[in-house]
Amino acid sequence: MAPRNGARAVWAVLLLCRAHAGSHTHEEHIERGGLRLRGASANSADVEETPHAFSNETVGSGSGCIAEWQTCSVDDDNAISCCDGLTCVVKSDYYAQCKSSGPSPVNNPTHRPSPMPYPAPTKVPSPSPTKAPTKGGSTPSPTPKSGPTPSPGYACGNPLTGKDSEVATWYATWAAKYIVNLGSGKCVQRIGQGNDCVSEGTGYGMLMAAWMDDQTNFDGLWAFAQEHFDSNGLMNWQISSGNQVVGSGSASDGDIDMALGLVKAAEVWGGSYLADATTLINNIMAHEIDSSTHTVLPGDSWDVSSPPYNPSYFAPGHFRIFEEVTGDSLWADAITQGYSLNSDCANYNSGTGLVPDWSESLTSCNPGSNWVSWTLANGADYYYDAVRTPWRLAIDYVWSCESKAKSAVKNMATFFADQGPSAMGQGFTISGSSLGYSTSTCFVGTASTAIVASPLSSSSTRSDWWDYLEGMDQENSYFCDTLQMIMYIFDSGNFEMPSVSTARAMANNAPVA
């Protein structure tokens, strides 16, 4: 989102210390699900403890002090004390700034984070996990008409499993929990985060609904997106639970996923979806792809001379479909530029294949940017934005067998396999040092897609990763629960490439039922 005009404010950055692993007491770190609240009330009676699948894991590693925003929980009033008398202004699900005076800084977009969606929407595991979606018994409503057709596999790579019927049931459970009626349509609600809705979640929901043959929810999500278009024909990134735009300007990743969902919808149901997809794709090219570098922009309202780059917004598999739909060769240029930036990351990541949440400019992978100073380490780590990158690149490899995707995914898969799913924690420096914390479904789920796409993964490795992901508890977090569901669809071989030729034939001959 575009930085807003206004006086600069003084923001307090608190210095936090990470003690040696294993030294933390209940008073020092109160765990709520996968989220650890630093500075929260030390009185255990003030915080309701909830079960966690990995509650015995050691928190953190190493020692010393790090400069980062004090963490405040969105739904825990006691955690507000972390700002030590200052005003706690939540900027994402995990991190908050402690404001001493004045309005928000002019150079700090109030836009999401990605989980920090930032100039894109927020995501952060919410506290208090519950058990993963029920794998038996009655299927909650809404129920998809059938679920995807069993997949013959991808052009390249190997699915982790083929449990189609379970995936359909889990999707129905996810949809019943997170998709709600709002305004003229439906939205994916961020439960526990003000119950707002963001464009990112709309994109995720449309992808899943299209691939799971759930037209009712798809149409509701698309209607909601259109209701909240900005003047560029792109969805404003954040909508309140009262259906008001509270985060104006678009987030590119959400729009990109919506457009791909529309192409798939056209293939499955016919009707006007392909025309809608074409219009949205053209709007994305006009306002969310930089015209000189061909790099994906954070959104359509970042009115700064040199905006930062979010590697997880680069979706080459999507872009190949967009080029086929529109005939616009600029999408090929965007693919070339994105892979060039991914290669540049090798200059900073010590061969891990990891990318940062944000880099300094549209032409470099140099980690971090002052434009996103509210994020952990200014976006320099592989954290809650970058976590989506393996999935984005894996899509391109399993659909097109692209050699650049193969190389990028292989490096990440090698790194992830060396860690093993139980040691994924919640992120790494891009050179491979763990950021610590209990293991999150966000990081296991998206890493598993690199295992799917890696030509080096063995059947036993694939089975181990699926079994681990399947056995993880839900986090009651819009972001991680949603990514977990998307990865179930991808890992089971059901996220097959949409056929543009079929979509065209359906649009011409088969009206929507």
Side-chain angles (χ1 to χ4, degrees):
M1 184 177 91
R4 301 301 177 203
N5 294 325
R8 293 179 180 274
V10 177
W11 295 80
V13 180
L14 305 182
L15 193 63
L16 304 178
C17 296
R18 284 181 176 161
H20 289 286
S23 66
H24 304 298
T25 65
H26 180 68
E27 288 71 30
E28 292 170 323
H29 283 283
I30 299 175
E31 181 176 11
R32 292 175 60 86
L35 176 61
R36 299 187 181 281
L37 310 180
R38 299 185 186 86
S41 171
N43 185 346
S44 61
D46 292 335
V47 180
E48 178 184 355
E49 293 189 80
T50 55
H52 192 280
F54 309 101
S55 59
N56 293 325
E57 292 185 10
T58 299
V59 182
S61 61
S63 63
C65 294
I66 57 172
E68 62 183 17
W69 298 119
Q70 178 72 42
T71 302
C72 298
S73 170
V74 173
D75 67 348
D76 184 359
D77 292 338
N78 293 314
I80 301 304
S81 63
C82 73
C83 284
D84 194 27
L86 302 177
T87 301
C88 181
V89 181
V90 176
K91 303 304 292 183
S92 78
D93 301 314
Y94 279 123
Y95 293 92
Q97 292 176 316
C98 298
K99 181 179 178 182
S100 59
S101 65
S104 302
V106 63
N107 287 332
N108 191 352
T110 55
H111 196 106
R112 82 148 164 171
S114 205
M116 273 156 254
Y118 331 121
T122 303
K123 34 183 120 216
V124 167
S126 311
S128 177
T130 57
K131 206 62 185 170
T134 303
K135 301 176 178 62
S138 60
T139 300
S141 176
T143 302
K145 287 188 289 186
S146 61
T149 301
S151 170
Y154 296 131
C156 285
N158 295 285
L160 301 187
T161 184
K163 298 183 178 180
D164 300 327
S165 61
E166 289 190 6
V167 170
T169 300
W170 298 341
Y171 167 73
T173 303
W174 173 88
K177 179 175 182 177
Y178 286 104
I179 297 180
V180 300
N181 295 321
L182 188 62
S184 62
K186 298 173 180 282
C187 77
V188 177
Q189 188 175 63
R190 298 197 300 177
I191 298 172
Q193 298 170 232
N195 293 334
D196 65 355
C197 302
V198 290
S199 61
E200 167 197 83
T202 302
Y204 293 154
M206 288 174 63
L207 287 179
M208 288 190 282
W211 263 265
M212 299 303 293
D213 197 18
D214 180 6
Q215 188 174 6
T216 298
N217 277 326
F218 185 93
D219 287 348
L221 291 165
W222 179 226
F224 181 78
Q226 294 175 90
E227 180 183 351
H228 297 291
F229 272 1
D230 64 14
S231 60
N232 293 323
L234 302 166
M235 183 178 169
N236 284 298
W237 81 271
Q238 185 184 26
I239 311 301
S240 72
S241 60
N243 201 34
Q244 300 299 310
V245 174
V246 292
S248 61
S250 71
S252 300
D253 60 333
D255 298 317
I256 288 168
D257 286 336
M258 289 180 221
L260 184 66
L262 285 164
V263 177
K264 180 65 176 180
E267 178 195 28
V268 177
W269 304 310
S272 62
Y273 297 115
L274 189 62
D276 288 346
T278 302
T279 299
L280 182 57
I281 292 167
N282 288 334
N283 290 342
I284 293 168
M285 175 56 72
H287 303 289
E288 293 179 331
I289 304 295
D290 183 64
S291 60
S292 58
T293 64
H294 308 296
T295 304
V296 183
L297 293 164
D300 66 359
S301 302
W302 280 66
D303 49 353
V304 298
S305 59
S306 181
Y309 172 59
N310 189 316
S312 73
Y313 288 10
F314 173 54
H318 295 46
F319 294 175
R320 293 185 200 281
I321 298 297
F322 295 174
E323 181 179 12
E324 186 176 358
V325 168
T326 64
D328 188 347
S329 63
L330 289 177
W331 287 110
D333 295 334
I335 293 171
T336 298
Q337 173 66 1
Y339 276 119
S340 176
L341 286 167
N342 185 272
S343 296
D344 187 52
C345 291
N347 294 318
Y348 307 95
N349 66 19
S350 303
T352 62
L354 301 180
V355 301
D357 277 358
W358 293 88
S359 66
E360 65 176 3
S361 73
L362 300 180
T363 58
S364 170
C365 190
N366 191 18
S369 169
N370 289 332
W371 287 114
V372 292
S373 60
W374 69 89
T375 66
L376 179 66
N378 282 15
D381 295 326
Y382 177 84
Y383 202 46
Y384 277 90
D385 264 309
V387 71
R388 298 166 300 179
T389 302
W391 169 59
R392 299 287 192 196
L393 299 180
I395 289 173
D396 195 27
Y397 182 64
V398 301
W399 285 359
S400 72
C401 301
E402 166 61 47
S403 61
K404 293 176 181 177
K406 177 181 179 180
S407 177
V409 167
K410 182 177 73 173
N411 289 338
M412 288 188 290
T414 299
F415 174 78
F416 295 144
D418 286 345
Q419 311 306 309
S422 64
M424 289 302 297
Q426 292 181 37
F428 302 87
T429 66
I430 64 171
S431 59
S433 297
S434 175
L435 299 179
Y437 313 113
S438 56
T439 297
S440 166
T441 55
C442 280
F443 291 87
V444 175
T446 54
S448 70
T449 65
I451 304 300
V452 170
S454 173
L456 302 179
S457 65
S458 65
S459 60
S460 61
T461 297
R462 294 192 297 273
S463 179
D464 288 346
W465 278 79
W466 174 265
D467 290 345
Y468 194 92
L469 179 62
E470 182 183 18
M472 293 187 76
D473 287 346
Q474 255 192 308
E475 297 186 14
N476 278 349
S477 151
Y478 138 79
F479 185 63
C480 286
D481 288 353
T482 299
L483 284 188
Q484 183 182 31
M485 189 62 245
I486 294 172
M487 302 318 139
Y488 281 149
I489 296 172
F490 182 89
D491 288 351
S492 60
N494 285 302
F495 200 76
E496 295 180 273
M497 182 174 70
S499 167
V500 175
S501 61
T502 300
R504 289 197 177 107
M506 290 289 287
N508 291 331
N509 302 313
V512 176

